[in-house]
Amino acid sequence: MRATAVRRAVLTVSAAALAVLTTACGGGEATGGNGGDKAAKGDAASGAPAAKALTAAELEKLVVASADIEDHKVVEPGKDAVSDPGTLSVEQAGCEPVAQALSSLPMGTPAASAQRLVTQESAAAAKGMPDLSELTPEEAEDAMLDSLDITRTMTSLRSYDADGAERALTALREAGEKCAGGFTMSVDGEKQQITGITEEKLAAGEDAVAWTVGTKMDGTSADTKVVVFRQGTTLAGFSSFNIAAISRDEAFEQPTAVIKAQEAKLG
């Protein structure tokens, strides 16, 4: 299920669960880009060779795995979990790198890529939906939402020739500053409004960008955590959301365990 479709499904599941709660308790309620598209020929002054991109096989060995993160499930995403780059459109062209990072799509033209879908469930979520019959409506609603405390993070590694990764990250940072007030985008046929981009502090790799991106789709607001850091010729990207936080309209933390595990593997 693609990112925007996942959010829509989450909202549908939440609404359905609340409907069950009411019955039980008798109440209650992202192609293109500005950076990384050409390989340089090296430092003409020093004669140093251009930096080489890692191969797809190398990235597959370096991308985060279940053994690297305790209490997380890591799987290779199927085709239905990955957005189609050809469907991405952004009304404000200068905001395209943000839309790409938000949608876990490549910026520029990487030489190789690898992706994983990482899921973390809280203890309550791991137990599944509780028995709501003996709870008050308020208790039942809290218990139901606790069972949806699941964070999903699409993790992407993309490797570039020469200074492509550095230029792509620079373009992303500039787009985030320019488009901080919001913009409109569409991917996989789903239109959404980016309502704001808030910078967060995060140290990772040689350089990093970290944001909370506010979105609105079909009148429902949600936040996505977006992080991209560079290590050599490789960009590591993370687009993360929490199901319970969407339902409760609450803030949630960056997936720091995933980010640190990926950083450690990239060295």
Side-chain angles (χ1 to χ4, degrees), residues 101-163:
L102 177 67
S103 305
S104 300
L105 294 174
M107 297 172 288
T109 308
S113 300
Q115 284 189 307
R116 294 293 185 270
L117 180 61
V118 185
T119 304
Q120 180 188 27
E121 295 183 335
S122 68
K127 293 178 181 178
M129 184 70 72
D131 181 3
L132 308 178
S133 60
E134 296 183 0
L135 302 178
T136 67
E138 292 78 11
E139 291 172 337
E141 182 176 351
D142 283 341
M144 183 274 293
L145 291 175
D146 285 344
S147 74
L148 297 175
D149 188 7
I150 303 168
T151 300
R152 301 186 191 278
T153 303
M154 184 66 80
T155 302
S156 308
L157 292 186
R158 308 195 194 278
S159 189
Y160 299 76
D161 285 313
D163 64 347

Side-chain angles (χ1 to χ4, degrees), residues 68-92:
D68 304 318
I69 327 173
E70 187 177 358
D71 298 326
H72 289 66
K73 179 181 179 181
V74 183
V75 299
E76 187 172 351
K79 292 182 178 180
D80 59 347
V82 182
S83 293
D84 180 355
T87 68
L88 178 66
S89 63
V90 183
E91 289 188 3
Q92 298 87 339

Side-chain angles (χ1 to χ4, degrees), residues 6 8 19 25 27 38 68-69 78 92-93 113 137-138 153 177 195 234 245 256 260:
V6 166
R8 184 186 298 280
C25 301
K38 293 182 180 179
D68 304 318
I69 327 173
Q92 298 87 339
S113 300
E138 292 78 11
T153 303
E177 294 172 353
T195 57
T234 301
T256 52
K260 289 180 179 180

Side-chain angles (χ1 to χ4, degrees), residues 175-188:
E177 294 172 353
K178 177 181 179 181
C179 305
F183 60 93
T184 302
M185 61 172 282
S186 178
V187 65
D188 296 323

